[in-house]
Amino acid sequence: AMEDVSAKFVSQKISRTRWRPLPAAALQPPDLFATGSWDNEDNRISIWSAGDLENAGLNGEYHGEPHLLCDIQHNGDVMDMQFLDQERIVVASSTGTVTIFRHHQNNQTLSANHRWEKAHYHVDQDTSCGGAACTGVVCSNPEIVTVGEDGRINLFRADQKDAVRTIDNADSSTLHAVTFLRTTEILTVNSIGQLKIWDLRQHRNEPSQIFSLAGDRVPLHCVDRHPNQQHIVATGGQDGMLSIWDIRQGTMPVSLLNAHEAEMWEVHFHPSDPDHLFTCSEDGSLWHWDTSTNVSEKPSFLHQGGRSTAYLSHSTINQSVVSAWLSNDPTKDRMEITNLIPNQTLSVNSLDVLGPCLVYGTDAEAIYVNRQLFA
Amino acid sequence: TPLTDTVPPQVVPGADPSARQLCFAWGPAEVLVCETLFGRAGGSRSRCLSRSPSPSRFWGEGRAGAAAPVLTGSVAGTGEGAPSSSCVFVVRRDQDIYIQTLRKLFNESHGIFMGLQRSEEELAGKSRKAQLVQVSKNYRSVIRACMEDMHQAAVSTRDPALQGQYSTQVSILSAMELIWNLCEILFVEAATAGPLLLRLLDWVRLHVCDVDSMVREVLSSESPSKHKLFWNVVDVFVLQGRMDEARHLLSKEASANPTSMNMYKILDDLMKKMPVPSLGNIQTLTELELKWQHWHEECQRYLQDGTFASNPHMESICKILLGDEDAILEKKELMTTWYHFLVTRLLYSHPTVKPMELRFYAQSSMDLFLGGESSPEPLDMILMAAFEFEMHQVIKECSIVLSNWWFVAHLTDLLDHCKLLQSHNLYFGSNMREFLLLEYASGLFSHHSLWQLGVDYFDHCPQYGRVYLELHIERIPLSTEQKALKVLRICEQRQMHEQVRSICKIMAMKALRNNRLGSALSWSIRAKDAAFATLISDRFLKDYCERGCFSDLDLIDNLGPSMLLSDRLTFLGKYREFHRLYGEKRFPEAARLLLTLMTAHIAPCSFWMTLLTDALPLLEQKEVIFSAEQTYELMRCLEDLTAGNPDKQKFQDDDVETTKVEMLRLALARNLARVIVKEGTVEGS
């Protein structure tokens, strides 16, 4: 319900929000998250406590608004951000630099742990200017992959000074996002509507597969892979469209779902409940896509007042019995779509989901935490 | 008063008044100050540049009617300054925009503002009014939240200068809320006789906080009735009409003094019985007035028969209940402001005051309270203007004395939605609401990151909003592609084609400079900029001619329908397709495409030689690929090129070119021979 959402105005435009990962076998909901800001004269990385743990109720839910634990100055806009482990965060900067920050939990401070200056650059890495924005980062400890406006792909290891592997000119257009497909393979999306698979074991500087949107080559801004069924990939585009791809077959998306009215900035499958998907957009909306079950069997779910709920049937091309995301039976599998922010006007730049919790940040300089996503 | 502090005039740092002549130009949100040599003939002068920031004057020591931000460059003096490098200084106008804590105010109120614009007048009468009052309350609660944060910041900082700054902000915010609240009661809610007094009481209780600490001290003491400030607190409660609290305190005193029990009982009874206007009740004003008259007479009787004569405190309370001006004025320190005095006076002598009568009581209350000892400050003048229902005066005074446009812009917009400002047009054609919104939004646009908020404000200025947005949006620095995309989205949503083109061109140029041909091309495709697409295509072709292979194949192979944007781009795409067909050994298709590129004039003439050279290996294949007809066409292309070229000299002089032409002629002739034989054989067999 709406009253479970707490908001805080933070006097900086938020470009990224990320939950700190939970230790294995944790029973508690996530309690800490990080944010990064953009377009400020002084940008910051901040660590927040999701709520007041002291006053936690019997069910372990939190109360109160998020409060700041510590923050640190960051050079340039925060373009992307990812927790490497419980303590370290990898941050991509508009200056092209990639930094690992360490969160010291004993005294609540942040410090720069390691830095790859100008990991992304135009023309010449050694000149004083010419850094190219690093647009995306993904990590799987200890490996870190970054992509940028320079069309370059870097592979770093958290413990090594130099890049393990660099693919110069991997893409002739801007790479907007990256994610792991398997341990040695990554997925990238670019500004001409392409989804590419790269096999990092191979020494060829070419993608092993290219998928592409038909027609107008609308730029793709975000990508996420189904946590259990690795062949299912979701991307979000400049026109706000959600594309579902089955990378086992074809070169075009399996389904195109009309979604937001402007750029989709992030798409995330729920990590442990991947029938749920979340997207946010420049148009100021945040959508919850639910394929979990036949709608009629689950009447109470997300029908609370004030929300606009819409039903959309798949416009699928391909049949698969494995997943609701690939299914094309419009009578059986309807998707329930809920806009979680009815009256927002400015862009929702980032969201993250973990357990029952959602955190998102906006250009209206506010962060929001919803602790009972499935209440 | 809590609103007293001073900020010295700001001197523009670095602008050397002793060495240079200064000139300035007003921009939409800032002032440019430049050093100049203009008019230096009469020798150099020394200058002082200062800007008087308004808040200090506003809340300052009784200097009424302060001026708007004034920029002065005083010119005087002697000396000769040596010419050196000149500087340009930027002096910002809406200085509050840069206060970090206030960003919360700007962002949160933006949401409320947008909600108000969306809430069209579908609701009529009461529910519309309730809606508008709610909006007003929302604005106020944002101001209060900000005040809270600012107060917290003031308390937690150790830097005295910073602490001073925060405290100043707290007092400015608190004054803003005070004014807004009064405007809400008088204009938005337009409370009528009866409820009006209740609202004004709430207003005073909310804003006169100077006595709160005293009240807390007394109430928390072990035995409140023994406290030396006990009667002060009782008086505070009575003056603010907080009867229950006053009676509660009095009952403690009574139980400690059994001898005067009777006297307490009588006073308590009077206080309990006092008739007050109610919101929900349907009692008419006449009924109330009748009851009140009756009660008033009862108080009068007790006072006259000396019931309270033995206790001066209680006697004075009884006088206050009777609305005795002198008795109330004696408690000046406990009221602290003339408007508290006004409300107390109304409560005990004119509880059914009508809105239009307020102005008389307000004026006389102020005169009585200040008693000629001090002159009214700007804040007093603003409140007075509100009591006089001079809405425009309120807005004008606030514009002059406040250091931000936030307050007047939002208040005026709200009043405009209440349909209270319609008649007022300004001389330059736009109305006051729009004028103030434009000012505020311009301020936002001058800020490094708040510019996004400004867009929505411009959208709701029907007359000049669009022009302002067009002018401002072009000045947003496009530091990353992501930011450019956001600016572009704003322009595209509003069909600002000119700006869309210019943003894409800037980004395409940047990409081109960084040798990112692919990115450059996708930017010009987005802007549908054919000329630029041609330019980039030429770069691709030039690269190809120099290196013999294509860069950025992933892009060129996937041009799709965007290929049709410019002829050159079409050619690039088709030419690359030829190479692909050739690479896949689909020779007849490749040959046909190659020929079409020339005969359909898709290829630029300058490229024909390259195309003909590309034909060479096809002519040399074992298999005959070009038909006789196609060979003739190729020959004609070659002859057109060599003959029709005005630069004929070039072909004769250049050995390499001559050899190439000779080789081509030979190859074409041989192919023709082969194809005649082949076609003859096929037809003959």
Side-chain angles (χ1 to χ4, degrees), chain A residues 33-104:
Chain A
F33 64 91
T35 61
S37 75
W38 80 286
D39 204 31
N40 289 307
E41 278 170 302
D42 170 32
N43 287 299
R44 309 192 83 78
I45 304 291
S46 313
I47 304 283
W48 305 82
S49 161
D52 195 352
L53 195 55
E54 300 296 305
N55 300 325
L58 290 172
N59 309 326
E61 78 269 31
Y62 301 99
H63 298 285
E65 61 178 27
H67 69 264
L68 183 67
L69 293 176
C70 52
D71 62 353
I72 190 168
Q73 203 256 331
H74 177 260
N75 209 357
D77 292 348
V78 173
M79 302 294 288
D80 199 7
M81 189 162 77
Q82 195 86 46
F83 271 92
L84 185 66
D85 52 30
Q86 292 262 96
E87 290 190 326
R88 289 176 297 173
I89 318 160
V90 188
V91 180
S93 164
S94 60
T95 61
T97 297
V98 177
T99 315
I100 302 180
F101 289 98
R102 184 182 284 277
H103 174 215
H104 307 272

Side-chain angles (χ1 to χ4, degrees), chain B residues 280-572:
Chain B
N281 226 330
I282 39 158
Q283 71 174 351
T284 61
L285 280 183
T286 343
E287 272 177 312
L288 175 70
E289 267 162 5
L290 216 67
K291 271 195 212 161
W292 195 80
Q293 201 58 44
H294 189 76
W295 171 80
H296 199 258
E297 279 159 15
E298 197 181 345
C299 296
Q300 194 82 44
R301 263 199 315 278
Y302 282 117
L303 187 69
Q304 274 164 4
D305 67 15
T307 308
F308 306 114
S310 63
N311 188 325
H313 294 299
M314 291 210 249
E315 186 167 37
S316 113
I317 289 175
C318 186
K319 281 183 182 167
I320 293 174
L321 295 185
L322 277 165
D324 183 323
E325 265 164 26
D326 294 329
I328 299 175
L329 263 181
E330 257 174 52
K331 313 289 175 192
K332 207 169 163 177
E333 275 83 57
L334 297 179
M335 292 184 289
T336 67
T337 64
W338 64 269
Y339 43 90
H340 187 340
F341 172 55
L342 164 69
V343 176
T344 305
R345 217 178 132 199
L346 291 174
L347 173 66
Y348 293 113
S349 34
H350 311 280
T352 56
V353 64
K354 295 186 186 66
M356 284 308 144
E357 296 164 350
L358 274 177
R359 60 171 68 213
F360 309 112
Y361 297 117
Q363 189 62 54
S364 65
S365 297
M366 189 165 89
D367 293 344
L368 279 170
F369 194 85
L370 297 180
E373 289 161 31
S374 56
S375 50
E377 290 178 15
L379 175 61
D380 302 324
M381 303 308 290
I382 292 168
L383 296 175
M384 185 58 74
F387 283 123
E388 290 171 346
F389 283 81
E390 297 286 349
M391 240 168 284
H392 294 112
Q393 191 62 25
V394 172
I395 292 161
K396 188 179 151 194
E397 296 266 342
C398 289
S399 310
I400 290 171
V401 293
L402 284 170
S403 55
N404 64 66
W405 290 106
W406 179 89
F407 180 80
V408 280
H410 287 85
L411 181 61
T412 309
D413 175 62
L414 177 63
L415 296 179
D416 192 69
H417 277 84
C418 298
K419 309 229 178 271
L420 291 170
L421 292 170
Q422 276 151 338
S423 61
H424 204 75
N425 274 319
L426 295 183
Y427 62 90
F428 54 83
S430 141
N431 65 22
M432 182 153 71
R433 168 187 173 273
E434 173 154 338
F435 172 77
L436 295 170
L437 286 178
L438 290 172
E439 285 295 321
Y440 173 60
S442 297
L444 292 175
F445 257 95
S446 73
H447 189 275
H448 190 268
S449 32
L450 292 172
W451 56 273
Q452 271 172 304
L453 297 176
V455 177
D456 286 324
Y457 287 93
F458 283 143
D459 278 350
H460 289 97
C461 295
Q463 211 148 9
Y464 295 111
R466 168 79 175 213
V467 184
Y468 268 65
L469 181 59
E470 284 173 1
L471 290 175
H472 277 289
I473 203 95
E474 286 185 339
R475 298 169 45 161
I476 301 296
L478 306 172
S479 44
T480 62
E481 287 194 8
Q482 172 118 347
K483 188 168 176 183
L485 287 174
K486 281 178 180 267
V487 179
L488 202 56
R489 174 63 62 185
I490 290 168
C491 296
E492 279 179 350
Q493 275 168 348
R494 290 158 184 80
Q495 276 94 44
M496 295 162 58
H497 305 296
E498 197 54 46
Q499 285 69 28
V500 168
R501 273 249 304 285
S502 116
I503 291 164
C504 290
K505 190 157 237 161
I506 290 166
M507 295 312 288
M509 279 306 282
K510 263 191 191 170
L512 205 58
R513 262 204 308 277
N514 290 327
N515 247 335
R516 302 279 304 147
L517 293 187
S519 289
L521 191 56
S522 45
W523 281 108
S524 46
I525 288 171
R526 174 127 188 211
K528 304 201 168 42
D529 187 340
F532 211 80
T534 301
L535 187 97
I536 297 162
S537 311
D538 282 341
R539 275 279 294 269
F540 271 115
L541 293 170
K542 192 170 141 253
D543 277 9
Y544 170 74
C545 290
E546 279 165 8
R547 289 192 290 176
C549 66
F550 280 104
S551 58
D552 305 302
L553 279 182
D554 54 341
L555 173 77
I556 302 171
D557 281 346
N558 284 285
L559 284 173
S562 56
M563 192 192 283
L564 302 173
L565 179 60
S566 96
D567 292 347
R568 202 58 49 84
L569 194 56
T570 315
F571 169 65
L572 177 66

Side-chain angles (χ1 to χ4, degrees), chain A residues 9-13 16 38-41 77 79 94 122-123 133 148-152 169-176 190-192 194 196 210 212 215-217 219 221 238-239 261-263 265 282-283 343-347 349 363-365, chain B residues 92 98 100-104 107-108 110-111 114 118 149 447-453 456 477 479-483 485-486 489-490 492-493 507 513-520 522-523 526 551-562:
Chain A
F9 282 85
V10 293
S11 293
Q12 48 187 339
K13 293 200 276 196
R16 280 295 180 264
W38 80 286
D39 204 31
N40 289 307
E41 278 170 302
D77 292 348
M79 302 294 288
S94 60
H122 289 303
V123 192
E149 279 184 14
D150 54 357
R152 192 171 270 112
N169 232 337
D171 203 305
S172 62
S173 50
T174 296
L175 287 170
H176 280 147
N190 68 13
S191 63
I192 53 168
Q194 293 173 329
K196 296 181 183 177
I210 301 183
S212 184
D216 272 344
R217 270 71 175 170
H221 285 292
Q238 187 159 282
D239 53 359
E261 280 158 19
E263 286 85 355
W265 292 127
E282 179 71 19
D283 70 4
N343 280 324
Q344 178 83 26
T345 54
L346 291 187
S347 173
N349 294 324
D363 274 346
E365 309 193 335
Chain B
R92 284 152 171 180
Y98 299 91
Q100 188 75 6
T101 324
L102 288 186
R103 283 172 71 159
K104 179 187 172 123
N107 277 290
E108 212 170 344
H110 166 261
M114 290 305 286
R118 271 195 296 259
D149 284 1
H447 189 275
H448 190 268
S449 32
L450 292 172
W451 56 273
Q452 271 172 304
L453 297 176
D456 286 324
S479 44
T480 62
E481 287 194 8
Q482 172 118 347
K483 188 168 176 183
L485 287 174
K486 281 178 180 267
R489 174 63 62 185
I490 290 168
E492 279 179 350
Q493 275 168 348
M507 295 312 288
R513 262 204 308 277
N514 290 327
N515 247 335
R516 302 279 304 147
L517 293 187
S519 289
S522 45
W523 281 108
R526 174 127 188 211
S551 58
D552 305 302
L553 279 182
D554 54 341
L555 173 77
I556 302 171
D557 281 346
N558 284 285
L559 284 173
S562 56

